[in-house]
């Protein structure tokens, strides 16, 4: 062996010694596995506490009832109330607009004259019938006399006391009288038909009078209720045509807000109150029955400003909108505020003005044992299932599916899936590996 080849041994032995010293190799013994690292997470222990559930939606205030004056006749406006300015208050029964009534007064007079003529014709028919009956009685007595004379002449002809010409003359006279009696009887037989015609004519004339009176009444437009003028498009002297929209009035005794609630939010809200499937409350029943069921739940409705002010307007549930929004699927619920224009000096609450965007809150009686968690702790998987992360007894990460109820501020009510004492994970464990070791840190 060449001595130069032995020069590589010292560096090689030095490297082996250094590797052994750094722990990379410890003879023939096995290597120890690295220790498991626990992830620190914020947790909260589940508890139940009294809670008053509520749901919130938004809408615009509007008058509970409104009325538009659409002209049903035409003519010149001869009187217009000075109160017909937008925002002014008019009282029930006030004269708002008067249309020239002269043409309609003339039409009423003509209709009444035609009715009087029909009544006179009917009275004339009654008198004619009475006279005809009396004449018929007289003509029948004459007929009886002529019948007796004819019988006597016929008897004399049989005994040869009179000529045939006398009998022929008696026959002609009797037949003429019988024709007179028959004409009178036929005339009486036509009286019922003639009376029906006259009565029909009279009924037509009465209908024409009623129509003329309605048209005359329509020339005076009165306020149907006390309200605020929201539209005015008529001026003094203006020619008004039938169908023209003259003005509009909104009621001031009540305001209505149609708020749109998410169907799932309403479903969870009613499930929390009723405790069962709330479907019968939402579908499959008559609207009147639904309203009665909801009233039995003792819900409290309030209307709040969206500006964050502390005052509110008491309201009451009135109706469902009847259909869901085609774009959002939201369900409309209408609440009514009585006397919205009355201010409240104690809370400095201003009047509720129509068109104001407001918040509608439905609140239920207090639930004694409600489980609420922070909204950040509620998660949803790709299938739409709500769940939370839990810390199990071994301080490891696990999952629990839950049914979420209404959301209140930064908390959500859990209807099922959690029990008292469960430890839920508030922070976001990344990566979330089920079974991983956790270090719980109380929130």
């Amino acid at each position: 062996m060449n001595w130069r080849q032995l020069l590589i041994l010292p560096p090689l032995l030095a490297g082996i010694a250094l590797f052994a010293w750094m722990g990379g190799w410890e003879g023939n013994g096995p290597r120890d596995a690295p220790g498991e690292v626990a992830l620190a997470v914020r947790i909260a222990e589940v508890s139940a506490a009294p809670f008053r559930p509520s749901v919130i939606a938004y809408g615009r205030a509007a008058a509970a009832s409104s009325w538009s004056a659409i002209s049903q006749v035409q003519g010149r406006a001869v009187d217009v109330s000075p109160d017909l300015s937008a925002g002014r208050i008019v009282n029930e029964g006030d004269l708002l607009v008067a249309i020239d009534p002269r043409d309609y007064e003339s039409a009423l007079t003509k209709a009444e004259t035609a009715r009087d003529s029909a009544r006179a014709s009917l009275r004339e028919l009654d008198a004619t019938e009475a006279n005809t009956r009396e004449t018929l009685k007289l003509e029948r007595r004459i007929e009886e006399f002529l019948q007796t004379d004819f019988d006597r002449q016929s008897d004399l002809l049989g005994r040869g006391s009179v000529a045939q010409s006398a009998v022929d003359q008696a026959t002609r006279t009797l037949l003429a009288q019988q024709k007179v009696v028959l004409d009178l009887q036929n005339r009486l037989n036509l009286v019922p038909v003639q009376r029906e015609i006259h009565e029909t004519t009279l009924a037509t004339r009465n209908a024409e009078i009623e129509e003329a009176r309605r048209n005359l009444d329509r020339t005076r437009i009165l306020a149907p209720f006390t309200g605020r003028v929201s539209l005015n498009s008529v001026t003094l002297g203006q020619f008004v045509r039938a169908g023209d929209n003259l003005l509009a009035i909104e009621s001031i005794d009540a305001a209505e807000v149609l708020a749109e609630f998410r169907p799932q939010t309403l479903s969870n809200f009613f499930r929390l109150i009723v405790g069962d499937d709330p479907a019968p409350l939402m579908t499959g029943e008559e609207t009147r029955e639904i309203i009665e069921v909801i009233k039995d739940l003792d819900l409290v409705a309030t209307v709040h400003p969206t500006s964050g002010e502390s005052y509110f307007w008491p309201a009451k549930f009135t109706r469902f909108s009847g259909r869901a929004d085609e774009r959002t699927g939201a369900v409309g619920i209408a609440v009514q505020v009585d006397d919205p224009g009355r201010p409240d000096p104690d809370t400095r609450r201003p009047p509720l003005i129509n068109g104001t965007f407001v918040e509608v809150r439905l609140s239920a009686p207090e639930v004694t044992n409600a489980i609420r968690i922070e909204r950040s702790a509620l998660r949803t998987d790709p299938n739409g299932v709500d769940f939370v992360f839990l810390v199990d007894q071994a301080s490891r990460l696990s999952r629990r599916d839950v049914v979420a109820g209404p959301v209140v501020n930064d908390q959500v009510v859990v209807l099922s899936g959690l029990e008292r004492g469960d430890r839920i994970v508030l922070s976001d464990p990344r990566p979330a590996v089920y079974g991983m070791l956790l270090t719980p840190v109380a929130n």
Side-chain angles (χ1 to χ4, degrees):
M1 174 181 297
N2 191 344
W3 65 270
R4 289 190 176 92
Q5 293 179 349
L6 298 177
L7 294 177
I8 197 173
L9 292 178
L12 180 60
L13 294 175
I16 293 174
L18 178 63
F19 181 76
W21 177 77
M22 294 179 61
W25 175 65
E26 298 179 356
N28 295 326
R31 286 168 36 180
D32 292 337
E36 185 177 7
V37 179
L39 178 66
V41 292
R42 290 188 304 111
I43 68 164
E45 187 170 326
V46 173
S47 61
F51 166 65
R52 185 170 187 177
S54 63
V55 286
I56 295 174
Y58 299 89
R60 292 195 180 274
S65 59
S66 60
W67 173 78
S68 296
I70 299 177
S71 178
Q72 295 178 282
V73 295
Q74 66 178 18
R76 196 166 302 280
V78 296
D79 190 4
V80 177
S81 172
D83 293 329
L84 287 188
S85 299
R88 297 287 293 271
I89 302 295
V90 294
N91 297 317
E92 180 180 356
D94 286 353
L95 176 63
L96 305 179
V97 179
I99 299 173
D100 190 350
R102 289 176 294 180
D103 291 342
Y104 302 99
E105 291 172 345
S106 298
L108 177 59
T109 301
K110 291 178 182 179
E112 291 175 341
T113 301
R115 177 204 57 192
D116 294 341
S117 176
R119 285 177 175 175
S121 298
L122 192 57
R123 290 194 300 269
E124 180 184 14
L125 178 62
D126 293 338
T128 301
E129 180 185 14
N131 293 337
T132 302
R133 291 190 183 278
E134 293 298 324
T135 302
L136 181 58
K137 290 179 182 179
L138 179 59
E139 294 297 337
R140 280 178 174 170
R141 290 180 62 187
I142 296 174
E143 180 185 9
E144 292 174 359
F145 174 76
L146 294 176
Q147 182 68 45
T148 302
D149 182 63
F150 172 76
D151 293 340
R152 185 175 59 83
Q153 293 293 339
S154 297
D155 183 61
L156 292 175
L157 178 63
R159 290 184 293 176
S161 299
V162 295
Q164 180 65 40
S165 59
V167 176
D168 293 342
Q169 180 61 38
T171 301
R172 286 193 293 272
T173 304
L174 177 60
L175 291 175
Q177 184 61 31
Q178 289 176 342
K179 183 179 183 303
V180 170
V181 172
L182 181 60
D183 288 343
L184 292 173
Q185 185 62 53
N186 289 337
R187 196 178 302 171
L188 286 176
N189 291 339
L190 290 175
V191 166
V193 177
Q194 294 172 341
R195 178 174 286 104
E196 184 177 351
I197 293 173
H198 286 302
E199 289 176 348
T200 302
T201 301
L202 179 60
T204 301
R205 299 295 174 256
N206 286 330
E208 291 173 351
I209 291 174
E210 182 64 25
E211 181 180 3
R213 285 176 177 168
R214 286 200 305 270
N215 287 334
L216 183 59
D217 291 340
R218 289 165 179 165
T219 62
R220 293 172 55 84
I221 300 177
L222 308 179
F225 53 79
T226 300
R228 178 178 289 105
V229 177
S230 60
L231 171 68
N232 176 31
S233 59
V234 60
T235 57
L236 185 65
Q238 174 183 340
F239 185 82
V240 177
R241 294 177 176 82
D244 286 352
N245 192 355
L246 306 182
L247 57 99
I249 298 176
E250 296 179 341
S251 63
I252 59 175
D253 59 341
E256 185 179 76
V257 181
L258 182 61
E260 294 188 345
F261 292 83
R262 292 179 53 202
Q264 186 61 42
T265 300
L266 278 181
S267 178
N268 293 338
F269 176 68
F270 287 123
R271 182 182 288 113
L272 180 63
I273 301 171
V274 179
D276 295 324
D277 184 7
L281 294 176
M282 309 300 296
T283 58
E285 292 186 5
E286 295 292 335
T287 302
R288 184 175 302 175
E289 296 178 2
I290 297 174
I291 293 175
E292 293 301 323
V293 171
I294 292 179
K295 287 182 177 179
D296 291 340
L297 297 177
D298 296 328
L299 299 183
V300 176
T302 51
V303 175
H304 301 255
T306 56
S307 59
E309 299 290 343
S310 59
Y311 58 82
F312 65 91
W313 294 270
K316 59 183 178 182
F317 175 84
T318 56
R319 60 183 175 88
F320 282 101
S321 62
R323 59 181 303 177
D325 186 271
E326 295 180 356
R327 295 183 296 105
T328 64
V331 177
I333 292 182
V335 297
Q336 180 174 304
V337 177
D338 293 331
D339 295 326
R342 179 187 300 172
D344 187 351
D346 295 335
T347 61
R348 296 186 178 182
R349 184 190 67 196
L352 178 59
I353 306 300
N354 292 340
T356 305
F357 190 70
V358 293
E359 172 191 291
V360 175
R361 185 177 302 167
L362 293 180
S363 302
E366 187 176 73
V367 178
T368 56
N369 293 312
I371 293 178
R372 290 180 292 169
I373 63 174
E374 292 188 12
R375 293 182 62 178
S376 60
L378 182 67
R379 295 166 171 81
T380 305
D381 65 15
N383 296 324
V385 179
D386 293 331
F387 70 96
V388 295
F389 287 129
L390 294 181
V391 179
D392 62 14
Q393 298 298 325
S395 295
R396 296 189 178 275
L397 183 68
S398 64
R399 163 180 166 157
R400 181 82 58 80
D401 293 343
V402 297
V403 176
V407 176
V408 181
N409 299 326
D410 59 347
Q411 292 187 321
V412 59
V413 179
V414 176
L415 303 179
S416 64
L418 290 179
E419 298 178 356
R420 296 180 183 180
D422 287 339
R423 296 183 297 172
I424 60 172
V425 177
L426 302 180
S427 56
D428 191 8
R430 292 185 180 180
V433 179
Y434 298 132
M436 64 186 298
L437 185 63
L438 302 176
T439 301
V441 178
N443 189 34

